[in-house]
Amino acid sequence: MPVVTRQVTDLLGDLVRIDSVAPRYEPRGGGEAAIAAFIAGWLADAGAEVELADTEPGRPNVLATLRGTGGGPTLCLRAHTDTVGYRGWSRDALTPRIVGDHLYGLGAADGKAGCAAAMLTLLALARSGVRPRGDLLVACVADEEGIAAGTTALAERGGIDAAIVVEPQRTDEIVVEHQGFGWLDVVTRGIPAHGSAADDGVDAIVHLAEVITRIHRLDRSVFHRFPSLNNGRTVCHTGMVSGGTDYSSYPDLARVGLEVGIQPGERLADRIAEIEEIFAEVAQSEPGFDGQVVVRLDREPFVASGHQALQDAAAGAIAAVLGREPTITGATGWTGAAILQRAGIPTVLLGSAGGRFHAPEEWASISDLARLCEILTRTALAYLGG
Ligand SMILES: [Zn+2]
């Protein structure tokens, strides 16, 4: 039964209206409890067995199972309920606005379109009149925009034979690998001194500036490699910077927070080695240079494995719905797929179009989301033995 555009628009609009800003982004953000309660009620009405599992107090995962006849595998559709904050929106970010095929609103694409797709897939399966052997598990998880505690808890729960992570992407693509990333602090230490005592002071901020300039050069040159991934570019940018205490003193400490990508086949240690090479270079021209890298977060890349049966099911579904063969490809952004695959769960990514993620006027394509629902329904039926 094809999912109609009206159904998609209504459900996605309902989800956008519920504030699920992660507390990390806005202390007064709604968090995941209210949206989890809405999704849980909706999926129970659709015929699923529903469970709310807290990842930390008040931040639950929704786990909804549509039982098959037995003896088949369990396929998980994983979406996420949390969003980033409303900073920069010139109008109410939580009031959905529809212009043509686009639904605008905070989290419309990342990740409420994924939640809507997973929910409507379960409903379509429940109403299809076909009962597959295997179970469909819809997991709308918390904290994907934070430390992915929801996906980690899902992976630890077990009982999943294969997973589809639903995130914004082209509907005709099956993503089987993506970058990992690291959050690094680069710290330089100088020697504090009175501002008039140039011979005594070592300027930690100037030294950090030298390092940042060279990292930026690395980004503009060698990080444009890896054509196997969608746009081939290794993530590398500064996130925040601090240092010094006052106008009148040489600063003894400066720090920049960086986000750096890790391509499939690489490790965070490769990025750290590059930065340490930069330290050695800067030390040659800057006497007293002292640099250090501190790892804040290390997320390995995602490389699918054991996923052929799932990929075949998805490829057949995409060909049937879109009338063309899918592209098997890689992506730039990190998702919880890396965590599920690391736990031994064969995983691929499917999704629908959207744009302006983590920015004002984020949008999701309504027609594409309807097509994704149909692709997921057909994939589930084929994989679960319909
Ligand atoms: Zn996001």
Side-chain angles (χ1 to χ4, degrees), residues 109-122:
D110 176 20
K112 290 178 176 177
C115 292
M119 293 161 74
L120 289 166
T121 298
L122 186 143

Side-chain angles (χ1 to χ4, degrees), residues 25 53 76 88 100 118 164 175 201 220 224 245 286 315 322 367 371 375:
Y25 288 91
C76 174
I164 299 172
V175 169
R220 283 191 304 192
H224 278 75
T245 53
E286 298 292 333
L322 303 181
S367 61
R371 284 189 285 272
I375 288 167

Side-chain angles (χ1 to χ4, degrees), residues 26 60 80 91 121 128 182 198 227 230 251 260 301-302 338 340 372 382:
E26 313 261 357
H80 70 90
R91 59 178 189 86
T121 298
S128 66
N230 242 350
V260 293
F302 160 60
L340 298 175
L372 174 63

Side-chain angles (χ1 to χ4, degrees), residues 177-178 202 243 251 274:
E177 60 175 18
H178 66 55
V202 172
E274 285 159 346

Side-chain angles (χ1 to χ4, degrees), residues 261-274 298 300-301:
I262 312 162
Q263 297 290 339
E266 291 187 322
R267 292 179 313 132
L268 185 56
D270 298 319
R271 290 291 90 81
I272 294 171
E274 285 159 346
D298 180 358
E300 66 179 324

Side-chain angles (χ1 to χ4, degrees), residues 65-291:
T65 305
L66 187 69
R67 294 259 173 244
T69 54
T74 295
L75 173 65
C76 174
L77 303 182
R78 200 240 57 173
H80 70 90
T81 53
D82 58 320
T83 71
V84 296
Y86 0 76
R87 197 156 20 129
W89 284 76
S90 57
R91 59 178 189 86
D92 180 9
L94 303 178
T95 301
R97 187 167 61 99
I98 296 161
V99 180
D101 184 48
H102 289 187
L103 189 149
Y104 294 85
L106 175 61
D110 176 20
K112 290 178 176 177
C115 292
M119 293 161 74
L120 289 166
T121 298
L122 186 143
L123 180 68
L125 214 61
R127 288 187 179 166
S128 66
V130 183
R131 247 186 113 195
R133 291 199 316 270
D135 296 350
L136 180 71
L137 171 67
V138 167
C140 295
V141 305
D143 192 45
E144 184 72 1
E145 304 290 3
I147 55 166
T151 301
T152 301
L154 179 67
E156 284 166 359
R157 172 184 176 273
I160 300 171
D161 296 295
I164 299 172
V165 166
V166 190
E167 292 278 357
Q169 65 181 60
R170 287 177 57 111
T171 320
D172 61 356
E173 288 182 346
I174 302 174
V175 169
V176 295
E177 60 175 18
H178 66 55
Q179 287 187 69
F181 71 95
W183 287 346
L184 302 177
D185 281 349
V186 173
V187 181
T188 52
R189 282 172 213 284
I191 297 175
H194 190 279
S196 63
D199 291 341
D200 297 339
V202 172
D203 191 330
I205 293 178
V206 166
H207 286 181
L208 186 65
E210 291 285 342
V211 174
I212 292 172
T213 303
R214 284 169 169 81
I215 289 172
H216 183 50
R217 251 181 245 148
L218 202 64
D219 175 40
R220 283 191 304 192
S221 53
V222 290
F223 286 174
H224 278 75
R225 59 196 170 185
F226 298 106
S228 70
L229 292 186
N230 242 350
N231 69 16
R233 209 189 145 107
T234 301
V235 168
C236 181
H237 66 92
T238 66
M240 60 217 169
V241 67
S242 63
T245 53
D246 60 273
Y247 287 103
S248 63
S249 307
Y250 274 79
D252 66 339
L253 188 86
R255 182 194 311 269
V256 64
L258 301 172
E259 184 171 60
V260 293
I262 312 162
Q263 297 290 339
E266 291 187 322
R267 292 179 313 132
L268 185 56
D270 298 319
R271 290 291 90 81
I272 294 171
E274 285 159 346
I275 294 170
E276 284 171 347
E277 268 175 47
I278 287 174
F279 287 170
E281 203 183 302
V282 174
Q284 284 180 7
S285 59
E286 298 292 333
F289 177 84
D290 177 3

Side-chain angles (χ1 to χ4, degrees), residues 284-310:
Q284 284 180 7
S285 59
E286 298 292 333
F289 177 84
D290 177 3
Q292 189 196 357
V293 180
V294 181
V295 177
R296 296 290 177 194
L297 189 64
D298 180 358
R299 289 292 193 205
E300 66 179 324
F302 160 60
V303 180
S305 78
H307 61 294
Q308 197 59 49
L310 179 58

